[in-house]
Amino acid sequence: MTSLAIETHGLGKRFGARAALESIDLEVPRGTAFGFLGRNGAGKTTLVRLLLGLATPTSGTMRLLGHDLPGGRAQALARVGAIVEEPRFHPHLTGRENLLVHAAAREPAARGRIDAALKRVGLGARADDVVKGYSLGMRQRLGIARCLLCDPELLILDEPVNGLDPAGILEFRHLVRSLVDEGRTVLLSSHLLDEVEKTCDSAAIVDQGRVVAQGTIEQLTAMSDERTIDIVAAPAVRATHILAAAPTVHRAVEHDGGIRATLAPDAPRDADVVTSLLTRLIAEGVAVERVNPVKRSLEDQFLSMTTRLENA
């Protein structure tokens, strides 16, 4: 068995002269939560549709759960649960009845998983209400319950937290992690950077149809050479001017009740640079209360990469 749940090489999809995806090389390890991260229109849903056979690539190759696509699609999709954009249901049927309709197209065991799936997504008490009375968030949860009926090895979820309130998003995060703990793989397509960072083990950043970075969340957030520190000092205005004039500081601005200093690219990489800045402040009569290194978030890295591409 391959260690990869999803593998693409040179995958592309064009609509006339427009490239929705171009030369996508993607590796999604089994048993992980993997974020496919990009702005709206970046190509995320196009990738999901290609993997599920809802669209045909114009170039490249795909493998899903060890099966070459399109030849092995039937075998692969038998163990794949998916939500593409907003999940659709028969509005006049109850949540349970909708799952019964879906289970009828699956193997016989799918019917026996309905109650457990509804309970797992928090819809046990509303299972016999008609879907037209469900909120968008409830329909999203019913969509995930539908995914679970095939006992999936892989879940492909396209913007799954749309419509969920903060409590629902937290429940979804715990659900994804519990699925991964069971050995399943979750591909989470999203434009919500903070949620991907909190939920996923690894991610790929896509922009303008291309993957611009891929790796673990730790690797992605550590890719930038930019080093930043936050300093709380008084008087803040004087401290900002002193730091901005230091040769080892590229930029210093007041930020969130303190000063955020971005170090120059050629500044020393050990603690000596921080010590020299503190010495300079103290020598100028500035009282320093606190110094903290700033850990770059996935959002910082994403914005840095996509802005760089736009300005290239």
Side-chain angles (χ1 to χ4, degrees):
M1 180 184 294
T2 175
S3 62
L4 297 176
I6 299 172
E7 184 177 4
T8 73
H9 294 287
L11 188 65
K13 177 63 177 177
R14 302 187 72 87
F15 296 96
R18 183 178 71 86
L21 289 176
E22 192 164 356
S23 194
I24 299 294
D25 295 332
L26 198 64
E27 294 187 345
V28 178
R30 287 179 183 262
T32 64
F34 189 96
F36 195 59
L37 182 61
R39 300 177 181 180
N40 291 332
K44 303 186 302 299
T45 297
T46 299
L47 174 78
V48 170
R49 295 179 64 84
L50 291 176
L51 292 173
L52 297 175
L54 302 175
T56 303
T58 50
S59 61
T61 61
M62 300 179 287
R63 284 174 62 84
L64 200 65
L65 297 176
H67 300 280
D68 291 319
L69 304 182
R73 179 168 282 117
Q75 300 97 309
L77 293 186
R79 297 299 305 278
V80 175
I83 295 177
V84 185
E85 300 179 304
E86 182 183 340
R88 304 286 182 174
F89 298 99
H90 300 289
H92 61 285
L93 299 180
T94 68
R96 188 189 309 279
E97 288 168 342
N98 269 280
L99 295 191
L100 283 167
V101 170
H102 182 76
R106 291 283 188 174
E107 76 278 9
R111 184 185 181 99
R113 300 185 184 112
I114 290 176
D115 286 343
L118 287 165
K119 182 178 180 181
R120 188 163 192 178
V121 300
L123 288 177
R126 300 291 302 273
D128 296 312
D129 295 350
V130 293
V131 168
K132 67 181 178 182
Y134 281 13
S135 66
L136 174 58
M138 291 173 66
R139 293 197 299 274
Q140 291 284 53
R141 286 189 279 164
L142 186 61
I144 296 173
R146 187 170 61 188
C147 290
L148 297 177
L149 297 187
C150 68
D151 189 23
E153 290 182 40
L154 169 65
L155 290 94
I156 300 176
L157 307 178
D158 186 20
E159 301 285 3
V161 298
N162 281 352
L164 296 184
D165 59 20
I169 291 174
L170 182 60
E171 290 174 1
F172 171 78
R173 191 184 309 154
H174 291 160
L175 174 60
V176 169
R177 295 315 311 176
S178 70
L179 292 168
V180 171
D181 289 343
E182 294 169 0
R184 307 179 199 269
T185 307
V186 179
L187 175 68
L188 178 61
S189 169
S190 181
H191 68 283
L192 301 177
L193 295 93
D194 183 61
E195 195 54 38
V196 167
E197 184 169 10
K198 291 177 179 177
T199 305
C200 295
D201 306 294
S202 304
I205 297 175
V206 60
D207 190 60
Q208 300 178 21
R210 292 178 176 272
V211 170
V212 296
Q214 183 173 181
T216 66
I217 299 299
E218 291 76 13
Q219 288 169 338
L220 291 173
T221 55
M223 286 179 67
S224 175
D225 289 332
E226 187 174 271
R227 293 171 293 152
T228 307
I229 57 174
D230 280 346
I231 299 173
V232 177
V237 173
R238 179 168 173 74
T240 302
H241 289 315
I242 293 169
L243 290 170
T248 53
V249 173
H250 172 65
R251 181 176 61 254
V253 295
E254 293 187 51
H255 174 80
D256 197 22
I259 305 124
R260 176 155 291 182
T262 301
L263 301 182
D266 57 352
R269 289 197 164 270
D270 52 29
D272 289 347
V273 64
V274 176
T275 301
S276 67
L277 292 176
L278 295 181
T279 300
R280 180 185 290 257
L281 290 172
I282 293 169
E284 295 287 343
V286 172
V288 178
E289 179 182 331
R290 188 170 67 250
V291 179
N292 293 312
V294 177
K295 181 182 183 296
R296 284 177 65 86
S297 67
L298 189 59
E299 181 175 13
D300 295 330
Q301 188 61 32
F302 175 85
L303 293 174
S304 174
M305 287 183 170
T306 55
T307 301
R308 188 184 315 135
L309 288 172
E310 289 173 355
N311 294 334

